[in-house]
């Protein structure tokens, strides 16, 4: 990077609107709902990271003789299985902890991949215009018109079911909204003064996209991604219901909830705990997402 | 401004409403299928017997739906018109053309419409149906004398020509009939089917065919006239047969209505109208049963039996079925090439614990046959020590003390492939077995596959993992079942090839004498048991939920005998 | 306007071609269905013969072109499992799917408007928190679980509604609500934010300063503009709903296209999969063209841009 380019950048950045981080934190503390959401997210993430240290048992150890033990505070429960056992005698608490890992991994990685594909394609389409734009937008249309679950079933039928394939499936079905949104942003940003200015001083196209346009689309991307993560967690549960979820021994909240259906007339605990985990986490992510949108969107910041 | 807002809302509303309502009008002639869902209207408070999971016994003082004569406003004095009997199944038949599907879902409809020459009775023995008598002048000739005056529901008389026609259609490539092979296996000379008169059919076979009747059990009789007049679509949707019932309505994936024919030639069944409803989700099926909306519900989960039995007005009925659930062992993959390793897997598997805890009923399968004469062969028992000894003997040992056995210095790691939801608790069984095998030092992981994927792996070049859970379910002949273990069986996933087994099986195929056959079948049982190409699990128990208003005894072959059902008093 | 409609229709056709290509390719990758059809008794000759008769032994571009040339004439071939025409198998189940999908579209849109308005107008008060929490919860419960809970509660315990199947309007209520809840939640949140945005716009400030009642300002001025993005999203949601209908149809035994399609994918019944995917996509495409035209008609800015 040459000095001249640095100078260009710093001038241009000065023109662009920027916000302080301190403002964000203060606003978070002000919004009770968002604060609760943040706490839930942090808890879930912490559990996911520390699962191997905290989990009291091997999450995939099957013991049919110990199946459907109730939680320890109920009659028949033991302190070995604090939240009871599932239909194969596996420890629900341990599965919940490892499940946090799997569910968040599926959510985050698939959204990251979807975002990566969507943002790059959106940038290219929006900035270049012309036939690349037409082609990419038609591909996006095709994607939108193909019902997600059908696509997932077809993909899983071709690829087979594994954690990686679920992530790929969700990524392939999720990129469109990023592409469309980024493209829209780019189309409007392209005409803004600071981009014109950059073009005038001779900054190359790629660099304009990377240094000047992309940063301005970041906040809506973050908002979209936060909803994407929660949607992916719920979608994974749906895939599990259709038998297209993670492999049997891998614990994910969605798979646990789906497997609990079979024993629901006998036992409430295999369903309720993962169900609560999904609902709480999705709730947390969504309120934080809402809050982020309110904070990052200048139109809504009236106070 | 105001106008435009109006337009937004109005067009939004219209768009949604028109589209929501229009299709309702376009429904293909389904005049209020109320009866399918049975009594939706009066949720009479008294017949809601607190469908709690644990109803306190004294709280269920709620009267039965049928009595309480003073409270029920329904005029049930005389059975002016019978309520339909609702039978809830899992999946809709894909066709009602019996030539095109061997699925039980199809058979359970059409075999009450398209009667067979011979049919298996509730005792699982073959019995005469459209054939009045059968003679065998010699081993290679079969003479079927047909009942006279039997009418198809289209008004045509059933004759020997229809039998000939049906057999010809079965091998016609047009239909891709799953039974074509069965006919071929019987070595019937298709060019020489004699019909000396309207009520006599003579079949000639090239070889002795002891399974003639067993195979004809699958072949419903079709009207030649109907087939020549109707389109393929009509044939697959409106079967015409000689049976007591006719299909009067089929709304795909919703319900099939069968009505009793008043001109049926045989004994008149009691149930006049049968409505078959496919409901894919097990919990929804259960809910319909508990709500009292169904007479018979198939495939109730074993975990729901307690709740069903605790609910007024319904009960569970189970039967030891003929479907054999086993874990195939690929005998061409080391170390499973050694019979002792395969036996060790059988000893290491705690089937008893699976049965007691997971399934609640059933017994461990000893052999691969459903032959009615019980086999003296005893099932493997859970004996992890014996399993460990056998493995040590072969040299599958844990030399570095990490709990994992090695073979030729490489730590073992095995996969069990299983379907998920095709058989009762299939994936759970696979996982439990995986746990047992892991416990004796063979780290095993169970993986569920969609059935189409499994079938792909099994057919052609076998790409299944060393262990795979399958379930075969045909026949009670002792022969068809053993065929699954022969080396030439197309879906022979284990590659087991035991010369002794092959020899005995080849003899059995052309042996007619019943006692000799019994001896041979039991010999095959013993060879298969000792050779252990499978981890023998169980003969699947079928779980039915039944309304107290219906008398129904489940059959081992998964057929629901409509004609033998009764309303309970 | 006419050229705009024509352009959108042409785009729609391109999309349909793309979809048929993608689904054909995907199914081809999944492998041909012969292995699922054959049973114990088939010989290798029979298998080869079947493959040949079905045309599975041809290179896939040939198969695709063959499929296309027939499909444009409305002939999707016959199901390989039965002899039924694929198109009619799909069409006879289409009314059920459309009824369910549009009923839930109606539910999710109409339910979302009051929720969105309340929480935008009463921003950061209890009603806002309540309705937004409700909306967010609606997005946090997996569809299949919601369906199971509704069946247990309204079908079995309270006996208010029939448990499953299709028939009366009562049969429609639970499936439509279960399917529509996710979209309702999404719509409510969208209406809230776009209404908030509209309320900050100059013309609303002007309207307020003219002394108009707040109710009039909100409903007449702000909501009108806030609804336009909602209309667009509702069109796009149709895709989600058609997909979600597969789970709903399974839970409530609703006799729609979704179940048929899933089973056909599993059975590799190519013609039926092609027919249903193409038809479902056509509905999506046509509806969205309709939505775009409505938007263009409603919003002078779009209309001008289009012309």
């Amino acid at each position: 990077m040459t000095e001249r380019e640095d100078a260009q950048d710093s001038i241009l950045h000065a023109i662009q609107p920027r916000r302080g981080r301190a403002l964000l934190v203060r606003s978070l503390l002000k919004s009770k709902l968002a604060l609760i959401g943040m706490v839930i997210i942090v808890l879930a993430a912490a559990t996911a990271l520390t699962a191997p240290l905290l989990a009291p048992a091997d999450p995939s150890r099957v013991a049919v003789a110990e199946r459907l033990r109730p939680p320890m505070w109920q009659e028949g429960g033991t302190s070995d299985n604090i939240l009871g056992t599932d239909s194969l005698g596996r420890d629900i608490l341990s599965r919940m902890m490892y499940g946090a890992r799997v569910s968040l991994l599926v959510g985050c990685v698939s959204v990251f991949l979807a975002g990566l594909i969507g943002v790059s394609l959106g940038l290219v389409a929006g900035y270049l215009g012309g036939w690349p734009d037409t082609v990419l937008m038609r591909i996006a249309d095709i994607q939108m018109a193909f019902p997600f679950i059908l696509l997932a079933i077809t993909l899983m039928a071709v690829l087979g079911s594994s954690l990686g394939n679920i992530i790929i499936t969700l990524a392939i079905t999720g990129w469109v909204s990023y592409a469309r949104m980024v493209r829209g942003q780019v189309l409007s940003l392209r005409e803004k003064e600071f981009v014109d200015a950059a073009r005038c001083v001779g900054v190359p196209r790629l660099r304009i996209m990377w240094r000047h346009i992309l940063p301005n689309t970041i906040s809506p991307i973050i908002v979209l991604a936060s909803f994407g993560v929660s949607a992916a967690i719920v979608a994974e549960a749906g895939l599990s219901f259709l038998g297209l979820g993670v492999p049997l021994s891998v614990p994910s909240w969605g798979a646990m909830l789906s497997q609990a259906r079979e024993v629901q007339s006998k036992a409430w605990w295999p369903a309720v705990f993962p169900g609560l985990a999904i609902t709480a986490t999705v709730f947390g992510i969504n309120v934080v997402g809402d809050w982020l949108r309110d904070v990052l969107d200048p139109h809504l910041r009236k106070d | 401004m105001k106008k435009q807002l109006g337009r937004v809302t109005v067009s939004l509303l219209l768009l949604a409403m028109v589209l929501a309502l229009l299709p309702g009008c376009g429904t293909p002639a389904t005049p209020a299928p109320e009866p399918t869902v049975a009594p939706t209207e009066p949720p009479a408070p008294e017949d809601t017997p607190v469908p709690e999971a644990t109803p306190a016994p004294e709280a269920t003082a709620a009267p039965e739906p049928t009595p309480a004569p003073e409270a029920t406003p329904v005029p049930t004095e005389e059975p002016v018109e019978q309520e339909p009997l609702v039978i809830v199944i899992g999946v809709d038949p894909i066709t009602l053309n019996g030539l095109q599907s061997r699925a039980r879902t199809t058979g359970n409809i059409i075999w009450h419409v398209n009667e067979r020459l011979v049919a298996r009775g509730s005792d699982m023995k073959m019995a005469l149906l459209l054939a009045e008598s059968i003679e065998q002048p010699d081993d290679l000739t079969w003479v079927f004398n047909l009942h006279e005056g039997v009418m198809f529901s289209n008004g045509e008389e059933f004759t020997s020509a229809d039998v000939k026609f049906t057999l010809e259609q079965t091998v016609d490539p047009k239909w891709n009939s799953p039974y074509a092979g069965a006919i071929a296996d019987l070595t019937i000379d298709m060019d020489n089917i004699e019909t000396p008169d309207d009520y006599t059919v003579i079949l000639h076979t090239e070889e002795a065919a002891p399974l003639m009747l067993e195979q004809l059990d699958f072949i419903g009789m079709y009207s030649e006239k109907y087939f020549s007049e109707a389109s393929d679509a009509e044939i697959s949707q409106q079967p015409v047969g000689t049976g007591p019932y006719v299909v009067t309505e089929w709304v795909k994936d919703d319900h099939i209505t069968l009505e009793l024919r008043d001109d049926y030639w045989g004994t008149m069944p009691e149930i006049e109208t049968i409505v078959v409803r496919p409901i894919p989700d097990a919990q929804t099926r259960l809910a319909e049963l508990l709500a009292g909306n169904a007479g018979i519900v198939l495939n109730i989960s074993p975990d729901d039996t307690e709740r069903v039995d605790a609910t007024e007005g319904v009960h569970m009925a189970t039967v030891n079925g003929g479907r054999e659930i086993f874990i195939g062992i690929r005998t061409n993959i080391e170390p499973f090439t050694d019979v002792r390793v395969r036996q060790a897997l059988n000893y290491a598997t705690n089937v008893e614990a699976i049965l007691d805890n997971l399934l609640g009923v059933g017994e461990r399968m000893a052999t691969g046959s459903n032959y009615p004469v019980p086999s003296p062969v005893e099932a493997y028992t859970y004996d992890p020590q014996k399993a460990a000894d056998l493995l040590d003997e072969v040299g599958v040992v844990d030399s570095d003390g990490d709990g994992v056995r090695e073979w030729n210095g490489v730590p073992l790691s095995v996969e069990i492939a299983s379907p998920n939801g095709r058989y009762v608790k299939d994936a759970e069984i696979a996982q439990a077995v995986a746990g047992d095998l892991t416990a004796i030092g063979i780290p095993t992981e169970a993986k569920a596959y969609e059935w189409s994927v499994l079938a792909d792996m099994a057919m052609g070049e076998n790409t299944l993992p060393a262990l795979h859970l399958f379930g075969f379910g045909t026949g009670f002949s002792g022969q068809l079942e053993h065929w699954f273990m022969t080396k030439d069986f197309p879906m022979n996933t284990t590659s087991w090839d035991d010369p002794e087994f092959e020899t005995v099986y080849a003899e059995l195929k052309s042996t007619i004498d019943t006692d000799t056959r019994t001896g041979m079948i039991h010999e095959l049982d013993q060879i298969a048991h000792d050779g252990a190409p499978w981890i023998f699990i169980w003969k699947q128990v079928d779980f039915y939920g039944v309304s107290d208003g219906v008398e129904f005894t489940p059959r081992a072959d998964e057929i629901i005998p409509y004609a033998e059902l009764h309303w309970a008093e | 306007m006419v050229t705009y409609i024509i352009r959108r229709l042409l785009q729609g056709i391109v999309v349909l071609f793309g979809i048929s290509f993608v689904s054909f390719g995907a199914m081809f990758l999944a492998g041909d269905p012969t292995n699922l059809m054959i049973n114990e008794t088939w010989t290798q000759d029979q298998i080869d013969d079947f493959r040949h008769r079905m045309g599975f032994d041809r290179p896939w571009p040939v198969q695709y072109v063959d499929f296309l040339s027939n499909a444009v004439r409305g002939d999707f071939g016959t199901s390989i499992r039965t002899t039924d025409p694929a198109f009619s198998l799909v069409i006879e189940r289409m009314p059920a799917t459309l009824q369910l999908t549009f009923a839930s579209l109606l539910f999710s849109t109409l339910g979302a408007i009051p929720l969105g308005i309340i929480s935008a107008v009463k921003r950061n008060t209890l009603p806002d928190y309540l309705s937004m929490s409700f909306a967010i919860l609606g997005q946090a419960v997996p569809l299949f679980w919601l369906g199971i809970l509704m069946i247990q509660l309204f079908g079995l315990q309270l006996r208010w509604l029939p448990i499953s199947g299709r028939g009366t309007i009562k049969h429609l209520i639970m499936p439509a609500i279960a399917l529509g809840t996710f979209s309702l939640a999404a719509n409510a949140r969208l209406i809230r934010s776009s209404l908030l945005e509209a309320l900050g716009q100059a013309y609303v400030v002007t309207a307020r300063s003219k002394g108009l009642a707040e109710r009039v300002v909100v409903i007449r001025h702000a909501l009108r503009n806030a609804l336009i993005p909602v209309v667009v999203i509702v069109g796009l949601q149709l895709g989600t709903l058609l997909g979600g209908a597969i789970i709903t149809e399974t839970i409530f035994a609703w006799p729609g296209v979704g179940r048929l399609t899933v089973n056909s994918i599993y059975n590799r019944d190519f013609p039926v999969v092609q027919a249903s995917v193409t038809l479902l996509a056509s509905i999506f495409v046509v509806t969205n063209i309709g939505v775009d035209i409505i938007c263009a008609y409603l919003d002078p800015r779009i209309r001008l841009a289009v012309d």
Side-chain angles (χ1 to χ4, degrees):
Chain A
M1 191 182 286
T2 65
E3 267 176 46
R4 190 172 141 266
E5 282 173 330
D6 266 341
Q8 284 171 355
D9 282 339
S10 58
I11 296 169
L12 293 166
H13 278 257
I15 309 173
Q16 292 170 42
R18 308 210 72 193
R19 255 166 241 121
R21 290 203 176 83
L23 199 72
L24 273 177
V25 175
R26 225 181 307 145
S27 153
L28 177 64
L29 292 174
K30 256 171 67 186
S31 163
K32 276 165 240 128
L33 215 53
L35 195 61
I36 296 171
M38 204 52 122
V39 170
I40 294 173
I41 294 174
V42 170
L43 266 178
T47 316
L49 289 174
T50 56
L53 301 173
L54 295 180
D58 175 356
S60 37
R61 196 189 79 96
V62 172
V64 280
E66 293 161 24
R67 78 191 293 253
L68 299 182
R69 282 204 183 146
M72 63 178 285
W73 58 87
Q74 276 209 336
E75 204 190 319
T78 66
S79 56
D80 287 348
N81 308 107
I82 296 174
L83 298 183
T85 59
D86 70 1
S87 62
L88 284 167
R90 298 174 295 198
D91 183 52
I92 289 182
L93 179 60
S94 308
R95 288 185 77 72
M96 293 279 294
M97 290 174 165
Y98 278 90
R101 265 185 164 200
V102 176
S103 293
L104 292 183
L105 191 77
V106 167
C108 295
V109 177
S110 67
V111 163
F112 177 76
L113 288 179
L116 199 66
I117 303 170
V119 170
S120 341
L121 292 183
L123 272 180
V124 171
Y127 196 80
L128 295 182
W131 69 262
D133 183 33
T134 314
V135 170
L136 286 171
M137 284 306 107
R138 286 299 81 72
I139 293 178
D141 285 346
I142 291 170
Q143 175 76 70
M144 303 278 282
F146 209 120
F148 154 70
I149 288 182
L150 287 187
L151 194 62
I153 291 172
T154 318
L155 280 174
M156 300 297 275
V158 178
L159 300 172
S161 106
S162 76
L163 197 56
N165 290 345
I166 289 184
I167 292 173
I168 293 173
T169 304
L170 290 171
I172 291 181
T173 52
W175 62 272
V176 176
S177 42
Y178 301 92
R180 289 187 158 229
M181 191 268 300
V182 169
R183 174 177 172 270
Q185 294 275 326
V186 173
L187 284 182
S188 65
L189 284 171
R190 206 163 57 164
E191 314 302 326
K192 291 266 159 69
E193 308 95 57
F194 66 87
V195 176
D196 274 347
R199 218 178 283 144
C200 290
V201 282
V203 182
R205 266 185 177 181
L206 210 64
R207 202 171 154 74
I208 294 181
M209 280 205 253
W210 182 248
R211 293 293 301 239
H212 306 295
I213 293 187
L214 187 61
N216 275 288
T217 61
I218 279 293
S219 61
I221 291 174
I222 290 174
V223 173
L224 210 53
S226 73
F227 299 132
V229 172
S230 61
I233 292 174
V234 175
E236 192 267 327
L239 288 178
S240 291
F241 169 80
L242 290 172
L244 300 165
V246 292
L248 293 172
S249 58
V250 177
S252 83
W253 293 337
M256 291 174 76
L257 186 62
S258 167
Q259 285 162 17
R261 268 181 309 150
E262 284 227 3
V263 292
Q264 62 156 359
S265 65
K266 257 186 173 168
W268 54 269
W269 52 93
V272 165
F273 296 120
L276 278 179
I278 292 178
T279 308
T281 308
V282 169
F283 183 86
I285 295 173
N286 282 359
V287 288
V288 170
D290 267 354
W291 163 79
L292 273 176
R293 181 172 55 195
D294 285 7
V295 178
L296 296 177
D297 189 340
H299 295 298
L300 299 175
R301 286 200 310 149
K302 49 176 195 176
D303 31 36
Chain B
M1 281 273 164
K2 187 181 173 186
K3 256 188 207 160
Q4 283 207 336
L5 169 66
R7 254 189 273 171
V8 182
T9 24
V10 167
S11 37
L12 246 179
L13 272 174
L14 277 183
L15 180 73
M17 276 168 71
V18 167
L19 290 170
L21 295 177
L22 253 182
C25 318
T27 315
T30 323
E34 265 309 310
T36 42
V37 202
T40 16
E41 332 64 73
E46 72 266 38
D47 65 30
T48 352
V50 202
E52 209 50 79
T54 46
E58 77 283 356
T60 34
E64 291 267 348
T66 24
E70 79 290 348
T72 28
V74 192
T76 39
E77 323 285 83
E78 289 163 65
V80 185
E81 190 154 321
Q82 264 187 26
E83 283 269 298
L85 173 68
V86 178
I87 299 179
V88 176
I89 59 175
V91 286
D92 209 30
I94 58 167
T95 176
L96 293 183
N97 179 349
L99 290 171
Q100 287 193 309
S101 169
R102 63 187 289 122
R104 274 295 180 276
T105 44
T106 299
N108 249 328
I109 306 287
I110 57 129
W111 287 340
H112 308 290
V113 177
N114 296 106
E115 286 179 311
R116 295 152 285 173
L117 292 178
V118 288
R120 196 178 295 284
S122 292
D123 56 358
M124 294 300 105
K125 301 224 167 80
M126 294 308 302
L128 298 169
L129 188 53
L130 284 174
E132 195 176 18
S133 63
I134 299 172
E135 295 154 40
Q136 260 200 286
D138 60 74
D139 279 359
L140 303 180
T141 310
W142 295 76
V143 180
F144 294 84
N145 299 307
L146 309 178
H147 279 283
E148 295 182 21
V150 175
M151 307 300 281
F152 280 109
S153 58
N154 64 350
E156 293 292 312
E157 192 183 6
F158 165 70
T159 66
S160 54
D162 296 307
V163 178
K164 183 168 191 275
F165 174 77
T166 299
L167 291 174
E168 284 165 355
Q169 292 299 304
T170 308
V171 296
D172 189 332
K174 173 185 179 184
W175 304 111
N176 295 320
S177 176
Y179 301 118
I183 300 289
D185 197 50
L186 293 173
T187 66
I188 297 173
D189 182 357
M190 294 302 297
D191 299 326
N192 190 18
I193 298 176
E194 291 179 61
T195 50
D197 62 63
D198 274 358
Y199 308 108
T200 310
V201 181
I202 304 174
L203 303 181
H204 300 278
T205 63
E206 286 162 25
E207 290 163 29
L211 288 194
M212 175 65 81
L213 301 188
E214 307 274 349
Q215 297 288 26
L216 287 180
D217 183 30
F218 299 113
I219 317 264
M221 289 295 138
Y222 303 95
S223 158
E224 182 170 13
K225 181 127 193 296
Y226 181 63
F227 266 58
S228 63
E229 286 168 354
S231 68
D232 289 355
E234 282 171 318
I235 289 170
S236 78
Q237 306 202 13
Q238 297 155 12
V240 163
T242 60
Y245 289 94
V246 285
V247 173
T248 52
E249 185 181 47
W250 183 14
V251 179
K252 298 271 177 75
D253 284 333
D254 195 68
H255 69 274
I256 297 173
T257 309
L258 295 113
E259 301 270 1
L260 193 59
R261 267 171 75 184
D262 42 21
D263 58 344
Y264 177 54
W265 64 277
T267 319
M268 281 305 243
E270 184 178 322
I271 312 287
E272 286 169 8
T273 309
I274 290 178
V275 174
V276 179
R277 288 192 58 200
I279 300 183
D281 189 71
Q283 292 304 315
T284 311
R285 283 201 297 275
L286 175 72
E288 291 284 17
L289 175 72
L290 298 180
N293 297 338
I296 300 172
V297 179
L298 273 65
N299 299 341
I300 295 287
S301 163
D303 276 312
D304 293 324
T305 55
E306 284 169 34
R307 184 168 178 196
V308 172
D309 282 330
T311 306
E312 288 276 312
V314 291
H315 61 273
M316 289 299 300
T318 58
V319 63
N320 290 316
R323 194 172 289 279
E324 299 163 347
I325 307 298
F326 63 91
I327 294 178
I329 307 171
R330 288 192 59 184
T331 61
N332 54 353
I333 293 180
E334 293 203 345
F336 306 108
T337 42
D338 193 307
V339 64
R340 287 168 296 178
V341 176
R342 303 197 296 268
Q343 288 172 344
L345 298 186
N346 273 287
Y347 286 118
T349 304
N350 193 350
V351 178
E352 293 77 8
I354 295 173
L355 294 173
D356 291 349
N357 297 291
L358 197 59
L359 303 161
V361 285
E363 56 193 44
R364 188 166 184 165
M365 180 164 82
T367 79
S369 93
N370 289 327
Y371 194 55
V373 184
S375 163
V377 178
E378 275 184 35
Y380 285 94
T381 47
Y382 177 52
D383 190 345
Q385 188 53 52
K386 194 160 184 179
D389 292 346
L390 281 166
L391 289 172
D392 289 344
E393 200 182 310
V394 180
V396 180
V397 286
D398 176 17
S399 52
D400 52 7
D402 60 352
V404 176
R405 290 175 184 270
E406 296 110 39
W407 171 247
N408 291 338
V410 182
L412 282 177
S413 169
V414 183
E415 181 191 327
I416 304 179
S418 93
N420 192 359
R422 188 174 173 90
Y423 315 115
V424 173
K425 296 228 176 262
D426 44 12
E428 285 87 346
I429 293 173
Q431 290 179 88
V433 173
D436 288 338
L437 299 186
T438 306
I440 59 153
I442 303 178
T444 307
E445 193 187 355
K447 280 193 184 163
Y449 294 87
E450 218 293 305
W451 176 250
S452 56
V453 179
L454 273 185
D456 266 359
M457 289 198 280
M459 300 303 298
E461 193 186 342
N462 188 352
T463 53
L464 284 167
L467 303 180
H468 42 273
L469 187 146
F470 274 79
F472 286 144
T474 46
F476 293 79
S477 62
Q479 177 178 329
L480 286 174
E481 303 97 291
H482 278 308
W483 183 34
F484 300 148
M485 289 193 184
T486 60
K487 70 176 193 317
D488 292 329
F489 176 57
M491 229 172 155
N492 175 3
T493 58
T494 64
S495 307
W496 189 56
D497 180 5
D498 184 297
E500 200 188 345
F501 190 88
E502 299 292 332
T503 315
V504 179
Y505 179 77
E507 279 175 44
L508 175 70
K509 266 186 85 174
S510 54
T511 304
I512 304 276
D513 180 67
T514 314
D515 288 340
T516 322
R517 286 180 65 84
T518 307
M520 289 173 152
I521 289 164
H522 290 167
E523 201 181 337
L524 288 173
D525 284 343
Q526 190 68 49
I527 302 170
H529 175 268
D530 296 344
W534 297 352
I535 301 177
F536 297 90
I537 308 289
W538 73 326
K539 302 244 171 84
Q540 179 172 296
V541 169
D542 301 322
F543 296 81
Y544 297 84
V546 186
S547 156
D548 289 351
V550 182
E551 274 178 28
F552 163 60
T553 315
R555 286 166 54 123
D557 61 356
E558 300 172 20
I559 291 296
I560 298 175
Y562 296 173
E564 293 166 27
L565 298 175
H566 298 283
W567 298 112
E569 277 311 305
Chain C
M1 196 70 191
V2 176
T3 48
Y4 174 71
I5 293 173
I6 290 172
R7 211 181 71 219
R8 289 292 284 114
L9 283 174
L10 286 177
Q11 284 174 0
I13 290 169
V14 172
V15 168
L16 288 183
F17 271 110
I19 278 171
S20 76
F21 184 76
V22 171
S23 60
F24 197 92
M27 291 304 288
F28 185 82
L29 285 178
D32 82 48
T34 318
N35 284 347
L36 297 173
M37 301 278 302
I38 53 181
N39 56 78
E40 305 84 87
T41 58
W42 284 31
T43 62
Q44 191 59 44
D45 284 349
Q46 278 175 298
I47 294 170
D48 294 341
D49 175 58
F50 175 78
R51 274 216 173 90
H52 183 70
R53 265 186 296 130
M54 288 294 175
F56 297 143
D57 54 351
R58 297 172 301 166
W60 77 270
V62 178
Q63 293 187 44
Y64 179 64
V65 169
D66 191 45
F67 157 75
L68 263 193
S69 61
N70 287 320
V72 291
R73 280 180 266 129
D75 174 13
F76 286 86
T78 55
S79 160
I80 54 179
R81 307 223 117 200
T82 70
T83 34
D84 298 322
F87 189 74
S88 70
L89 284 176
V90 176
I91 281 294
E92 66 190 341
R93 289 169 175 84
M94 201 49 104
T97 295
L98 290 182
Q99 190 189 25
L100 173 62
T101 314
F102 284 102
S104 58
L105 203 61
L106 189 72
F107 165 74
S108 64
T109 314
L110 293 187
I113 291 174
L115 278 184
I117 295 179
I118 289 171
S119 66
V121 173
K122 309 263 179 199
R123 191 182 178 199
N124 292 337
T125 63
L126 191 63
D128 179 24
Y129 291 142
L130 282 182
S131 50
M132 279 307 106
S133 302
F134 174 77
I136 294 170
L137 279 179
Q139 280 182 294
V141 182
L143 167 56
F144 74 87
W145 195 249
L146 185 65
I148 290 172
L149 293 180
M150 287 174 76
I151 285 178
Q152 292 294 320
L153 183 62
F154 300 111
L156 199 50
Q157 307 275 352
L158 300 171
R159 311 251 170 153
W160 288 350
L161 294 165
I163 291 167
S164 67
R166 177 170 182 244
T168 62
I169 210 82
K170 271 179 143 185
H171 285 86
L172 183 60
I173 297 175
M174 279 206 290
I177 292 179
L179 178 57
T181 299
F182 189 91
S183 309
L184 179 132
N187 288 343
R189 298 170 66 194
L190 181 71
I191 292 174
R192 175 182 184 266
S193 61
S194 67
L195 192 57
L196 281 178
E197 186 173 340
L199 286 171
Q201 298 285 326
Y203 62 87
V204 173
V205 178
T206 316
R208 277 210 187 99
S209 62
K210 282 198 299 188
L212 290 175
E214 185 68 15
R215 193 171 51 87
V216 179
V217 173
V218 169
I219 293 181
R220 237 182 244 176
H221 298 265
L223 187 60
R224 204 202 76 196
N225 282 294
L227 276 184
I228 287 170
V230 177
V231 176
V232 175
I233 291 292
V234 163
L236 296 177
Q237 268 174 358
L238 189 68
T240 318
L241 290 174
L242 286 171
I246 292 164
I247 293 179
T248 318
E249 285 171 9
T250 305
I251 294 273
F252 292 99
W254 190 264
V257 181
R259 270 159 77 190
L260 174 77
T261 314
V262 172
N263 289 330
S264 306
I265 292 177
Y266 286 154
N267 291 332
R268 315 253 169 93
D269 197 340
F270 296 158
V272 181
V273 175
Q274 292 295 331
S276 61
V277 168
T278 311
L279 275 169
L280 287 174
S282 312
I283 291 168
F284 177 84
V285 167
V286 169
T287 312
N288 276 292
I289 292 175
V291 165
D292 286 355
I293 293 170
I294 291 175
C295 286
Y297 178 66
L298 291 174
D299 190 331
R301 283 171 305 177
I302 301 178
R303 195 162 49 204
L304 288 175
V306 165
D307 291 338

